[in-house]
């Protein structure tokens, strides 16, 4: 059975790349797509920023043909502004619109946006309805279990948002008060999937970081697909590894040093092409330690990479890494 969102066919049990602030930009999305992500989202975009035509918000609307299917994710606290932002984002021609009702960080949640809306389901429903009516595209939602342990209201949220027209729901298995601590609890996600009233795809999110966990939780929680976030940072191979494990029950070989360097280099080149050389090099610095996580005695190279100011310097350091580790880790 293929998973459908509106007229988008995602195949059987899709793996989605989560929208992550300062991570899920086009260069990062490129390497994830190359490694098997079935659907991706932009970083979340402020509705206020879009309406004010803020350069940073506008730039986040950049999407490329090879990324499809892709969703633009927006957040905000004002219903009218969310409607306007939806109209603006629709003009960028994504495949779907997504609303962020899950972001737990203070700058978002304490301004009445993101996970904050879990405290006011009536407003969340009204806002979702406004977004659905403002676009011809399918609308999806990402949220959490609830605000805290005493208010796990996502079961009600799922029914009411489906009633106003959303086409899929992704649920992160934590409350807002948990932030990213503790373990994600997917039991309530399973209950929603089993609710006979729910007809839309339900995707699980939170703590999927290995092929065997993905396979076990697919069986245990019966979701329609999974969204992967932090585990893909510096490790876009997670998508292809999970898919291989689903198909064969066997592990794919881990990426070699040469592969790590190759994907890291691709990410850097895409970053420079999209943001310009200076910003591209600077913003790539946050990714190096993840690309080479687990490589022994890498600290010296990491320090060099995060201080290198030109692409030539970075290429030289990567060549040194290749030379040192290619034989050691073969």
């Amino acid at each position: 059975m293929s998973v459908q969102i509106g007229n988008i066919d995602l195949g059987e049990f899709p793996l989605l790349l989560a929208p992550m602030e300062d991570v899920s930009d086009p260069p990062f999305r490129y390497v994830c797509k190359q490694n098997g992500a079935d659907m991706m989202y932009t970083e979340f975009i402020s509705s206020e920023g879009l309406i004010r035509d803020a350069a940073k918000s506008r730039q986040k609307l950049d999407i490329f043909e090879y990324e499809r299917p892709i969703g633009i994710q927006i957040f905000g606290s004002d219903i009218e502004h969310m409607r306007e932002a939806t109209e603006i984002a629709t003009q960028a021609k994504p495949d779907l619109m997504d609303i962020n009702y899950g972001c737990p960080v203070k700058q978002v949640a304490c301004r009445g946006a993101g996970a904050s809306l879990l405290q006011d389901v009536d407003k969340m429903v009204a806002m979702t309805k406004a977004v659905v009516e403002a676009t011809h595209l399918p609308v999806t939602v990402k949220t959490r279990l609830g605000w805290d342990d005493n208010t796990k209201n996502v079961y009600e949220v799922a029914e009411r948002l489906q009633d106003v027209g959303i086409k899929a729901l992704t649920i992160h298995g934590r409350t807002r008060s948990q932030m990213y601590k503790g373990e994600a609890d997917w039991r309530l996600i399973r209950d929603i999937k089993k609710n006979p009233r729910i007809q839309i795809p339900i995707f699980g999110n939170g703590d999927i970081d290995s092929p065997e966990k993905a396979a076990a939780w697919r069986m245990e929680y019966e979701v329609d697909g999974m969204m992967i976030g932090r585990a893909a940072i510096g490790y876009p191979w997670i998508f292809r590894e999970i898919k291989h494990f689903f198909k064969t029950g066997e592990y794919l070989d881990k990426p070699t040093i040469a592969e790590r360097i190759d994907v890291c280099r691709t990410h850097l080149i895409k970053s420079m092409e999209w943001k310009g050389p200076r910003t591209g090099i600077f913003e790539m610095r946050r990714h190096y330690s993840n690309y080479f996580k687990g490589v022994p005695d890498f600290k010296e190279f990491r320090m060099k990479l995060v201080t290198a100011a030109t692409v030539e310097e970075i290429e030289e350091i990567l060549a040194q890494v290749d030379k040192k580790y290619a034989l050691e880790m073969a």
Side-chain angles (χ1 to χ4, degrees):
M1 278 281 289
S2 247
V3 175
Q4 296 272 141
I5 299 178
N7 60 1
I8 304 164
D9 185 339
L10 293 174
E12 188 191 350
F13 206 81
L15 301 178
L16 284 52
L17 173 67
M20 293 177 283
E21 178 66 358
D22 291 332
V23 177
S24 306
D25 58 12
F28 179 70
R29 298 198 301 261
Y30 181 87
V31 295
C32 288
K33 187 73 177 179
Q34 297 288 95
N35 282 282
D38 293 302
M39 188 163 83
M40 308 186 292
Y41 296 85
T42 61
E43 300 170 77
F44 54 74
I45 307 175
S46 158
S47 56
E48 306 294 329
L50 283 184
I51 291 165
R52 290 199 313 271
D53 207 15
K56 191 172 182 202
S57 296
R58 283 283 175 164
Q59 191 187 28
K60 288 181 182 177
L61 291 176
D62 284 0
I63 51 181
F64 299 88
E65 282 305 308
Y66 62 76
E67 301 185 287
R68 297 189 184 282
I70 185 159
I72 288 177
Q73 190 190 69
I74 58 172
F75 72 95
S77 59
D78 182 285
I79 292 173
E80 182 57 25
H81 290 176
M82 283 288 279
R83 187 188 63 73
E84 287 179 50
T86 301
E87 291 174 353
I88 294 165
T90 300
Q91 291 167 11
K93 297 188 169 63
D95 298 286
L96 58 87
M97 289 296 305
D98 187 78
I99 312 172
N100 180 317
Y101 293 138
C103 181
V105 300
K106 272 186 183 166
Q107 303 93 297
V108 174
C110 293
R111 288 184 186 159
S116 169
L117 274 301
L118 285 161
Q119 297 177 103
D120 187 348
V121 178
D122 288 346
K123 183 178 177 183
M124 182 196 278
V125 171
M127 184 179 282
T128 306
K129 187 170 187 284
V131 169
V132 169
E133 290 171 355
T135 183
H136 66 281
L137 297 167
V139 174
T140 61
V141 161
K142 180 163 192 263
T143 190
R144 289 183 168 234
L145 302 178
W147 181 255
D148 57 29
D149 279 348
N150 303 316
T151 54
K152 289 185 180 174
N153 54 359
V154 70
Y155 195 91
E156 175 200 351
V157 164
E159 288 190 349
R160 292 184 65 186
L161 296 188
Q162 177 181 266
D163 290 349
V164 293
I166 71 164
K167 300 300 183 199
L169 178 65
T170 299
I171 305 163
H172 182 106
R174 289 181 173 85
T175 61
R176 187 271 166 175
S177 59
Q178 275 182 279
M179 303 294 283
Y180 295 98
K181 298 187 183 79
E183 285 185 13
D185 181 357
W186 284 41
R187 289 172 299 179
L188 200 46
I189 306 175
R190 178 177 55 206
D191 292 347
I192 291 164
K193 181 60 205 165
K194 286 186 164 180
N195 177 355
R197 267 205 64 201
I198 295 295
Q199 302 298 313
I200 59 174
I202 301 294
F203 302 120
N205 173 230
D207 293 356
I208 294 297
D209 56 10
S210 67
E212 66 273 22
K213 188 186 278 187
W217 286 19
R218 178 181 181 178
M219 294 292 288
E220 187 174 352
Y221 297 112
E222 301 172 45
V223 290
D224 294 295
M226 290 173 173
M227 181 180 277
I228 296 168
R230 289 173 294 165
I233 299 175
Y235 203 83
W237 302 279
I238 183 111
F239 298 101
R240 74 175 191 191
E241 287 181 4
I242 290 172
K243 286 180 168 181
H244 185 79
F245 194 82
F246 283 168
K247 209 175 276 182
T248 66
E250 294 171 0
Y251 292 99
L252 258 186
D253 289 340
K254 292 288 181 193
T256 62
I257 271 290
E259 276 185 287
R260 288 176 188 239
I261 290 169
D262 187 46
V263 173
C264 181
R265 183 185 286 121
T266 300
H267 191 162
L268 171 67
I269 291 164
K270 291 286 176 189
S271 188
M272 289 167 59
E273 283 174 1
W274 186 57
K275 302 169 186 176
R278 193 162 168 268
T279 308
I281 287 170
F282 178 74
E283 294 197 355
M284 188 63 195
R285 289 173 178 175
R286 65 171 74 105
H287 292 285
Y288 294 123
S289 59
N290 290 305
Y291 272 116
F292 297 100
K293 197 184 247 174
V295 176
D297 305 319
F298 195 77
K299 189 178 177 186
E300 184 190 335
F301 288 114
R302 184 175 64 79
M303 296 308 291
K304 286 181 181 176
L305 285 166
V306 298
T307 51
T310 67
V311 69
E312 290 78 16
E313 281 179 74
I314 296 165
E315 286 286 4
E316 174 57 32
I317 298 160
L318 291 175
Q320 290 170 16
V321 171
D322 191 26
K323 193 174 174 188
K324 176 174 166 59
Y325 292 103
L327 289 172
E328 283 183 27
M329 297 183 70

